[in-house]
Amino acid sequence: MSSIIELRCANCEFCCNSVKKLKEHMASQHHTKVVKPKPEPLKCSHIGCKYSTERSSNFKRHLEICHFPRYACHQCKFTDNSTIAFNRHCREKHGASAAERNMVPVLRP
């Protein structure tokens, strides 16, 4: 059993089984393009965050950086994804590097 897709032109009686053929027909007969609808943007649901994007890779990166940081300071609420920034924070805010104070970062996957 084969499943053949039948595509119809919205402007005339033309039918075909290929998107490419339908696009060619639309361009040559009706001087229009078949345009894919723009995807709905992905919106961050965290309270107070207004970030949105159409790309899932950008959305994932936003969540990892802004809402699920890899390092969290045990002595205060500082969080970050950078080892360098985490060590700088420990030095500047707590007077010693993370290693010197035995501050192990909370690693989140």
Side-chain angles (χ1 to χ4, degrees), residues 65-83:
I65 291 171
C66 296
H67 302 296
F68 300 104
R70 294 180 62 212
Y71 301 101
C73 181
H74 294 290
Q75 295 183 343
C76 66
K77 294 183 178 186
F78 176 82
T79 61
D80 203 283
N81 283 315
S82 163
T83 304

Side-chain angles (χ1 to χ4, degrees), residues 30-75:
H30 305 293
H31 307 292
T32 60
K33 284 194 221 180
V34 175
V35 180
K36 280 202 290 187
K38 206 172 184 183
E40 284 289 318
L42 299 165
K43 296 178 182 178
C44 186
S45 61
H46 282 80
I47 296 170
C49 185
K50 295 179 180 168
Y51 181 82
S52 70
T53 182
E54 293 175 359
R55 299 187 70 186
S56 61
S57 59
N58 289 350
F59 188 70
K60 180 180 176 186
R61 184 169 169 261
H62 163 76
L63 290 175
E64 289 171 352
I65 291 171
C66 296
H67 302 296
F68 300 104
R70 294 180 62 212
Y71 301 101
C73 181
H74 294 290
Q75 295 183 343

Side-chain angles (χ1 to χ4, degrees), residues 1 13 16 32-33 52 102 104:
M1 183 173 160
E13 300 297 318
C16 65
T32 60
K33 284 194 221 180
S52 70
N102 294 322
V104 180

Side-chain angles (χ1 to χ4, degrees), residues 5-37:
I5 298 170
E6 186 177 274
L7 302 170
R8 294 183 177 272
C9 176
N11 300 323
C12 69
E13 300 297 318
F14 178 80
C15 294
C16 65
N17 61 358
S18 159
V19 173
K20 182 180 177 183
K21 288 180 184 177
L22 180 60
K23 285 180 180 182
E24 289 170 354
H25 166 77
M26 295 292 289
S28 66
Q29 299 300 311
H30 305 293
H31 307 292
T32 60
K33 284 194 221 180
V34 175
V35 180
K36 280 202 290 187

